[in-house]
Amino acid sequence: MASLREKLARTRQAFRQKFEDILKSGRSREEILEDLTETLILADIGLPTAEKIVEAVGREARKSDGPDVVRDALKAEILAILTRHPGGLKLDPKAGVLMMVGVNGGGKTTSLAKLARRLKAEGRKSIFVAGDTFRAAAQEQLAVWGRKLDLPVIKGAYGADPASVAFDACRRLKTGEFDAMLVDTAGRIHTNANLMAELEKVKRVIAREIPGAPQEILLVLDASIGQNALPQAREFLKFAGLTGVFLSKLDGTAKGGSVVTIADELGLPIKFAGTGEGEDDLVEFSAESFVDALFS
Ligand code: GDP
């Protein structure tokens, strides 16, 4: 499994060169601070977040004179944004339920498989729930992962109500044969109010069958589209109960800086990052490793 650091190589390159340039000797602190906003924006950090960071860095930097004061303050501020909301997966040990939501193509199914693989390694017994009943390909993709990871997949007939599939899965979970249920969902179009209503219904049925569930509802966002992931993310925020972000496709992108904006603007923790297409290409997101990777 590659480290976050390795996978962030392109983001680091994009960020570091520019940052080192503005820190060049002979420049005043005010000049540095002025250019810092632009550098952050070029690293795919959005303007409101960049301005907030530069303001905080300025406050710190004006307090002392050391050579690394801007760098240290910048690291501290990014870290503060990324640790504002605690991460970690909180799944009930006997009846863990996780829903994965997000637009199609973002990486929901693949990310769900990665989490299943991880739970399996921890000795847990999961079932997959194919909640996108209108897309045969989505069901088939989950079936492929089910075979690969040797996990059952609860499916419905084509076009069946996803809430009824979730209901069947809850019943299966309650037999005690399994201890976790991983729900794939539809992601037709984020502006579609029907989709949000559908997701709400799935959630409601799960909560009725298993009190306290789902304990996790993760929003999958494609890191390779950077800040453009934000408008769709905001649509999903209208769907109550999101517990965190699964940032897919962090490998190979130079837009890793968008992580900071996503965490800042959505007010959600980034819990995991996808770093490739395989089931092992998963890292638990660590703010410290991210900041280290960016500056090292
Ligand atoms: P869904 O429609 O939201 O379920 O998305 P999929 O899980 O089908 O993923 C869409 C595409 O993105 C597939 O080709 C995946 O292999 C690919 N993908 C998903 N996660 C990652 C990742 O972390 N890195 C890379 N490079 N590709 C990914």
Side-chain angles (χ1 to χ4, degrees):
M1 200 186 298
S3 68
L4 190 61
R5 193 175 182 286
E6 263 170 61
K7 296 293 183 179
L8 280 167
R10 291 192 56 205
T11 295
R12 176 168 54 251
Q13 257 170 8
F15 178 73
R16 248 190 79 186
Q17 186 54 49
K18 191 84 180 96
F19 185 60
E20 295 307 326
D21 280 353
I22 67 165
L23 284 185
K24 275 199 310 267
S25 56
R27 307 190 73 224
S28 74
R29 190 173 311 153
E30 294 310 318
E31 284 173 320
I32 293 173
L33 288 173
E34 231 165 72
D35 286 353
L36 187 56
T37 313
E38 193 195 327
T39 305
L40 294 175
I41 287 169
L42 287 172
D44 223 57
I45 293 177
L47 181 63
T49 304
E51 283 178 340
K52 204 186 302 179
I53 293 173
V54 174
E55 204 184 297
V57 169
R59 256 193 324 268
E60 281 309 305
R62 286 183 189 100
K63 284 187 203 158
S64 70
D65 259 339
D68 286 333
V69 57
V70 172
R71 182 186 279 104
D72 291 347
L74 182 58
K75 281 169 83 166
E77 186 53 27
I78 291 179
L79 199 61
I81 290 175
L82 292 177
T83 50
R84 204 176 292 145
H85 305 278
L89 204 58
K90 292 173 196 73
L91 284 182
D92 184 274
K94 290 213 173 69
V97 181
L98 179 145
M99 276 174 80
M100 200 66 102
V101 302
V103 298
N104 286 342
K108 280 186 304 295
T109 312
T110 310
S111 303
L112 205 62
K114 291 173 183 180
L115 289 176
R117 166 89 175 91
R118 182 191 161 105
L119 290 174
K120 192 173 178 180
E122 290 169 2
R124 298 199 61 163
K125 289 185 181 163
S126 308
I127 44 178
F128 282 129
V129 185
D132 187 352
T133 57
F134 279 96
R135 227 170 29 126
Q139 299 227 24
E140 182 46 33
Q141 194 190 351
L142 202 59
V144 169
W145 279 116
R147 285 194 290 277
K148 192 162 182 189
L149 299 172
D150 194 24
L151 299 175
V153 182
I154 311 293
K155 290 194 278 195
Y158 177 80
D161 183 348
S164 73
V165 182
F167 177 82
D168 290 345
C170 289
R171 288 287 155 103
R172 187 82 183 268
L173 188 67
K174 288 200 283 190
T175 63
E177 197 188 338
F178 300 94
D179 58 37
M181 173 174 138
L182 304 173
V183 187
D184 200 11
T185 61
R188 280 183 289 284
I189 176 161
H190 58 276
T191 50
N192 186 340
N194 291 338
L195 173 61
M196 297 306 158
E198 178 181 308
L199 294 176
E200 285 290 352
K201 188 172 172 194
V202 169
K203 194 176 106 184
R204 210 165 50 237
V205 165
I206 292 174
R208 204 175 58 210
E209 288 301 305
I210 302 172
Q215 301 92 20
E216 292 280 359
I217 305 175
L218 299 185
L219 172 63
V220 174
L221 293 177
D222 178 343
S224 71
I225 64 171
Q227 284 182 69
N228 292 333
L230 276 171
Q232 46 171 266
R234 288 198 192 96
E235 286 301 317
F236 278 94
L237 276 184
K238 293 179 192 158
F239 164 63
L242 295 178
T243 57
V245 172
F246 188 120
L247 202 67
S248 64
K249 312 187 199 182
L250 197 58
D251 50 304
T253 177
K255 296 182 189 290
S258 61
V259 167
V260 185
T261 310
I262 287 169
D264 186 39
E265 292 209 16
L266 300 186
L268 288 172
I270 292 167
K271 296 203 171 185
F272 294 95
T275 56
E277 294 187 272
E279 68 265 32
D280 286 324
D281 295 326
L282 169 75
V283 291
E284 193 153 344
F285 186 82
S286 146
E288 287 80 9
S289 311
F290 178 84
V291 172
D292 278 350
L294 218 53
F295 288 90
S296 59

